[in-house]
Each structure stands twice: as C-alpha cells, then as structure tokens.
Amino acid sequence: MERGWRIPTGGTRSFVWIVVAFIKFSFIYSKPDPEAYHELSTEEYDVFLQELHPPHNPRYDINLARAKRQAGDQTFEFDSDEDEEGPWDEWGPPSSCSRTCGGGVVTEERTCTAPKPDSCVGPSKRFSSCNIDECPRGSKDFREEQCAKFNNELFERKYYDWIPYLKAPRKCELNCMPKGERFYYRHAKKVIDGTSCDDEGR
C-alpha cells in the first residue's frame, strides 16, 4: 500500500486557497528591519516636538553638497598632482535631474575597462547642478515628500503618516517618524541627491 500525503480531488481548490492565504499573511506581517527601528526617549521626543515646525525651510547649499558627494563613498575626491590616466570608458549619458526645483543633481558615470579597476586614476562619477531655481511658495519640503511616499505602505500591520526626523546620527539617511508615535525608522540609507542632509541646509 502506497503511503504519503494525498489531497482529495474535491479539496484541491481549498488547498490552493490555504496556500494563497499563507503567502499573503507572510507578506503583510513581515517584520521591518530591527536595525532601522529606533525608539525615542522622553527627552528626545520633547526636543522633536519643540522643533517640529522650523521657522523656514532650509536652503540647499549646492556647492557644499556637491563637494561632499564627490568625497563620499560612491566616488572619491580627485585631489592629486597626478594626471587622470587609465583605460576609461566615455562618460555615460546624464541621469535625469533628481529634483524639479530647489537644486537637483545630474550624475554621469564611467567605467574603468582595465582588468584591475585600480589601474585607473580619476573619479568614476561626476555631478552637476540642475533646476536650481527656488521652488514655488508653499511647496512641500523635499525630504517630507520622500517620507510621505511610505504613507500607503503597511508597517507592522498599520498605515502611518510619515514625517522627517532630523535628529538621527546619520544625517543623510532617510529617517522618518510616524505622526503621534515615539519612534523613527530608516526607510533608506541615503536621501535622494539634492536633499539637505540637515536642518542647516548642508
């Protein structure tokens, strides 16, 4: 006699629905990254409430931000007496501007075609400013727009209205806080180019 699991013919449809329900349950109730979740102390929350409405939107310092990006992890600052050298590809097509107003960034990339990438001397990315005109009066803050994109996504079985949290240690991460709650969450390790990394416009 053959042994093993058997699914009655009439129960196939029920079995399929059980599998679908399990998949949906696993997706909806998946846990957020614990390393990106931060609970605020009472003191931190009081400071956040006091500074919730700054007197003005920070201005974006284009030149300072560009210098920081070119010295950051994604590329490196080419500050040397050596001439650029190596079998570099041509610069690729420019990306679209990261913002429609208020100072965005266009990025171009190139690749070192040598068998060993460290054979090339020079930067692999370059940046230029775009759409530097100020945004119309009443426009939503750019970081606020990025946080608000998560309003329609379930987070621990709930929907939240997310607003920026600027007191986290790493200023260029996209840290957002649900209205009325005492925690913030890192939704992205890096804000979109053209976003001020702190409330001083840097």
Side-chain angles (χ1 to χ4, degrees):
M1 179 177 179
E2 185 179 353
R3 295 184 179 182
W5 286 96
R6 297 185 62 221
I7 302 172
T9 305
T12 303
R13 182 174 299 176
S14 299
F15 177 77
V16 170
W17 279 110
I18 290 172
V19 173
V20 171
F22 176 78
I23 293 173
K24 286 186 176 180
F25 181 88
S26 301
F27 175 76
I28 292 174
Y29 298 114
S30 58
K31 287 285 186 180
D33 181 2
E35 293 185 0
Y37 184 97
H38 300 275
E39 197 81 32
L40 295 184
S41 67
T42 301
E43 292 77 13
E44 290 173 325
Y45 187 64
D46 289 341
V47 171
F48 170 76
L49 291 179
Q50 292 171 8
E51 301 180 359
L52 186 58
H53 302 290
H56 57 81
N57 289 331
R59 295 182 62 84
Y60 181 58
D61 189 329
I62 296 171
N63 294 325
L64 178 61
R66 183 193 304 149
K68 284 186 176 183
R69 279 192 300 274
Q70 289 177 331
D73 293 336
Q74 294 193 9
T75 180
F76 58 89
E77 187 175 17
F78 185 62
D79 185 13
S80 171
D81 294 332
E82 297 180 84
D83 293 329
E84 286 194 15
E85 61 181 43
W88 286 105
D89 255 350
E90 295 295 322
W91 286 104
S95 67
S96 57
C97 189
S98 62
R99 299 189 63 175
T100 57
C101 61
V105 177
V106 166
T107 306
E108 296 171 88
E109 299 185 43
R110 63 178 178 175
T111 304
C112 179
T113 58
K116 296 182 179 180
D118 57 1
S119 301
C120 296
V121 178
S124 59
K125 290 188 178 183
R126 65 182 180 185
F127 306 88
S128 55
S129 301
C130 54
N131 295 338
I132 60 175
D133 294 334
E134 290 191 15
C135 294
R137 183 183 296 274
S139 298
K140 185 177 289 188
D141 176 73
F142 192 37
R143 186 185 289 261
E144 186 179 349
E145 289 181 358
Q146 294 169 60
C147 285
K149 289 182 178 179
F150 296 93
N151 290 352
N152 296 323
E153 294 187 13
L154 277 175
F155 183 88
E156 293 190 321
R157 293 180 272 178
K158 293 182 180 179
Y159 290 104
Y160 291 103
D161 289 329
W162 296 92
I163 55 179
Y165 182 76
L166 300 177
K167 298 301 178 183
R170 295 181 175 85
K171 303 298 184 181
C172 290
E173 294 178 344
L174 181 62
N175 292 296
C176 308
M177 183 175 185
K179 289 183 179 179
E181 300 292 338
R182 293 197 176 194
F183 71 89
Y184 68 90
Y185 188 76
R186 186 195 67 218
H187 279 296
K189 292 184 178 180
K190 181 177 177 293
V191 291
I192 296 174
D193 281 336
T195 310
S196 299
C197 278
D198 57 29
D199 49 9
E200 299 298 325
R202 293 177 292 195

